[in-house]
Amino acid sequence: MEVTSIQDGIIIDHVPAGTALKVLDYLRIDPATTRLALIMNTTSQRYGSKDIIKIEDVSDIDLDVLGLVAREATVDIVRGGAIVRKVSPHLPEHVVNVITCKNPRCVTTTERGIDQMFHLTHSERQEYRCDYCDEEAKL
Amino acid sequence: MVGRSVITLDDLSVRQIRELIRKAAYIDEHRKQVAHTCDGRVLATLFYEPSTRTRLSFETAMLRLGGQVIGFAGTQQSSVAKGESIADTLKTVSNYVDIAAIRHPKEGAALVAARAASVPVVNAGDGGHMHPTQTLADLATLQSRFGRVTDLTIGLCGDLTFGRTVHSLIETLCRFGDVRFVLISPEELRTPQYVLDRIDATPSCSYVEVRDLASVIGDLDALYMTRVQKERFFNEDDYLRLRDTYILDSRKLRHARPDMAVLHPLPRVNEIAVEVDGDPRAAYFEQVNNGMLMRMALMSSLIGDDLPGYVPLDSKEVRA
């Protein structure tokens, strides 16, 4: 599949197949108002299939958030039509106001004005738990 | 430890916990000498849900140290009924007191309180999450019965899914190490994976999961019974079905070792028959006493009031 290359922006490659829209949602990038190309369920030598996101006119994204939802992804920074830098996201130790605690007994469901905070508890399983109630995050 | 809050026992080092256990034993033997340790201090007991036992224990602990107590039990007559946040309540109460103990039905409420308060906050139970002073009482009871909290085979029986006291005890004992856990529960109330992971991550500790109490009771140094708590269930049918799964009575106790200790965080409903109370192996009312002593040790330490005549662990080791 051919999609026109971008001039200045970011290419997020190796996004787990079928999750590109979720990744955009977590990155708080609105596909309705952003110039971007989505390639979903395309062939990947490494993973069998993958999604690719190409975003024009965006200079950086939150790598912590990307690491959280698409750890395997790679990020190409494009300037003047050429890839000038490649970066890989890592699993953040602590995330603030990205995930919402789903535990109905958690204090975050009732207390006003507190941040939703999660910490990494198991990097292999990519397991995060709420700072307050220790409930496992559901991404 | 002075000025710190205790939300989980992870807030304390193993050494600090050992020190608290020693202090509790000292307090028990020197009640008159320590009766003015916290003269002029005030404790706030902020109990957003009923818990007579824990509240009275905290309050008695402060009164026995010479301090005084303010607070509320239930939210009906407090500002909470007007919609005040936990953080605002703590910011206010911090101006009145030297230390606060909070019980709240929401998990994580004590952390919110500690972050807002300018005085030490002790978690007196935040929903099904943590109850560190109960674990301190459990440890003190094991220490007083066996002279140690390691090299023990400890059975935990009943609700191992929602039983916060069980999770906290397992995780803390793993920090001390060298404990064999026997986890006795119905399939529906098994120990959560993250607690099992904690045991797996401790090379000197091990566990087995079983369904039948009678078949393993003879192997145990201590048996920790728990109540299947109605308030932890969304569905009453599930509660009623599982409530009576494990009941400890004299017949089962016949197969236990003569020096086994039976612990229970209380209150019990019917999981330990009343006939067991007279058995010397019943240690659950000792736990209540140990709970008060540990709260005395903890609160005086967090406020920074030294117990008269007490020689800290460090200085004793240095001298030796």
Side-chain angles (χ1 to χ4, degrees):
Chain A
M1 181 182 282
E2 286 292 328
V3 174
T4 312
S5 291
I6 56 174
Q7 278 301 305
D8 292 294
I10 281 172
I11 299 170
I12 309 173
D13 199 356
H14 302 109
V15 176
T19 67
L21 289 170
K22 187 174 92 170
V23 169
L24 285 174
D25 188 37
Y26 272 98
L27 290 171
R28 303 218 168 114
I29 294 171
D30 181 1
T33 58
T34 311
R35 201 138 60 94
L36 56 78
L38 287 186
I39 305 166
M40 296 185 73
N41 298 304
T42 191
T43 310
S44 163
Q45 282 186 339
R46 205 183 295 172
Y47 300 111
S49 61
K50 66 177 180 180
D51 290 358
I52 304 170
I53 305 168
K54 298 184 177 189
I55 314 166
E56 188 77 65
D57 300 330
V58 168
S59 54
D60 64 350
I61 53 166
D62 190 331
L63 286 174
D64 279 358
V65 174
L66 185 63
L68 195 67
V69 290
R71 190 189 188 183
E72 307 82 2
T74 54
V75 178
D76 300 332
I77 314 290
V78 181
R79 294 285 176 270
I83 295 172
V84 295
R85 196 157 59 95
K86 281 178 178 283
V87 285
S88 295
H90 58 275
L91 278 185
E93 287 294 322
H94 200 234
V95 286
V96 180
N97 292 332
V98 178
I99 322 167
T100 304
C101 188
K102 298 285 191 287
N103 174 9
R105 295 180 291 264
C106 180
V107 70
T108 55
T109 60
T110 51
E111 180 78 358
R112 296 183 303 276
I114 52 171
D115 291 327
Q116 293 274 351
M117 297 193 283
F118 284 77
H119 55 279
L120 181 64
T121 50
H122 202 293
S123 52
E124 270 176 43
R125 285 205 301 267
Q126 300 190 30
E127 180 184 294
Y128 284 85
R129 289 189 178 275
C130 173
D131 277 12
Y132 297 98
C133 72
D134 285 310
E135 181 85 354
E136 188 176 344
K138 292 184 178 61
L139 291 168
Chain B
M1 210 189 296
V2 179
R4 300 261 302 274
S5 289
V6 175
I7 306 308
T8 86
L9 280 189
D10 287 338
D11 295 324
L12 299 174
S13 67
V14 168
R15 186 182 197 81
Q16 286 170 330
I17 295 171
R18 283 193 195 280
E19 182 81 276
L20 290 174
I21 294 172
R22 273 186 86 241
K23 279 189 176 179
Y26 177 85
I27 290 167
D28 197 23
E29 290 162 8
H30 301 83
R31 293 202 184 205
K32 276 200 169 166
Q33 288 96 315
V34 303
H36 297 285
T37 304
C38 292
D39 271 355
R41 303 295 195 181
V42 180
L43 159 74
T45 51
L46 313 175
F47 275 56
Y48 290 74
E49 66 173 3
S51 171
T52 315
R53 182 184 321 277
T54 307
R55 183 170 58 83
L56 292 183
S57 180
F58 269 99
E59 293 184 355
T60 311
M62 182 49 78
L63 294 172
R64 283 188 176 278
L65 289 167
Q68 298 187 67
V69 180
I70 62 164
F72 56 81
T75 54
Q76 300 275 316
Q77 277 141 33
S78 73
S79 296
V80 179
K82 299 173 191 164
E84 186 172 60
S85 67
I86 299 167
D88 281 0
T89 301
L90 267 293
K91 282 176 191 164
T92 305
V93 171
S94 291
N95 290 293
Y96 306 146
V97 301
D98 301 282
I99 189 166
I102 180 172
R103 157 140 328 184
H104 197 286
K106 287 290 183 182
E107 300 172 11
L111 181 61
V112 173
R115 286 183 174 166
S118 56
V119 296
V121 172
V122 181
N123 185 0
D126 55 346
H129 186 222
M130 294 288 173
H131 192 1
T133 58
Q134 178 63 53
T135 305
L136 290 176
D138 302 339
L139 293 172
T141 306
L142 290 174
Q143 178 72 32
S144 70
R145 282 277 172 145
F146 301 103
R148 63 187 192 279
V149 297
T150 55
D151 189 21
L152 294 169
T153 300
I154 299 179
L156 300 117
C157 180
D159 174 4
L160 306 187
T161 299
F162 298 100
R164 63 182 168 195
T165 55
V166 169
H167 305 163
S168 177
L169 181 60
I170 292 173
E171 292 186 277
T172 308
L173 284 170
C174 281
R175 294 171 64 196
F176 285 86
D178 198 12
V179 171
R180 299 164 293 279
F181 296 102
V182 181
L183 308 170
I184 310 150
S185 74
E187 182 63 30
E188 294 91 335
L189 294 175
R190 284 180 57 201
T191 314
Q193 188 58 45
Y194 75 92
V195 179
L196 299 179
D197 287 347
R198 183 85 177 235
I199 305 174
D200 282 332
T202 312
S204 62
C205 292
S206 61
Y207 72 88
V208 288
E209 290 186 283
V210 297
R211 303 279 161 267
D212 181 28
L213 170 60
S215 65
V216 294
I217 197 168
D219 303 329
L220 307 175
D221 293 309
L223 172 61
Y224 196 97
M225 297 293 293
T226 63
R227 179 165 60 100
V228 176
Q229 298 186 70
K230 189 177 180 179
E231 59 265 35
R232 303 293 169 229
F233 286 84
F234 290 120
N235 181 338
E236 187 160 359
D237 288 344
D238 285 346
Y239 165 69
L240 293 173
R241 188 167 52 82
L242 294 167
R243 184 183 58 182
D244 299 334
T245 308
Y246 299 104
I247 295 175
L248 181 68
D249 54 20
S250 297
R251 195 172 50 83
K252 283 201 188 82
L253 212 49
R254 247 182 261 143
H255 303 288
R257 291 180 190 166
D259 62 344
M260 188 187 79
V262 181
L263 282 76
H264 189 298
L266 301 179
R268 73 173 150 189
V269 180
N270 57 355
E271 56 280 0
I272 301 178
V274 176
E275 66 198 22
V276 175
D277 294 0
D279 192 295
R281 288 169 285 194
Y284 31 92
F285 290 110
E286 279 170 49
Q287 264 172 288
V288 176
N289 183 47
N290 287 325
M292 180 192 70
L293 296 170
M294 288 301 279
R295 288 174 184 115
M296 291 171 78
L298 179 65
M299 286 193 289
S300 58
S301 302
L302 297 178
I303 293 172
D305 289 336
D306 294 333
L307 299 166
Y310 177 77
V311 181
L313 198 55
D314 281 345
S315 16
K316 214 170 179 183
E317 281 182 353
V318 170
R319 255 194 341 213

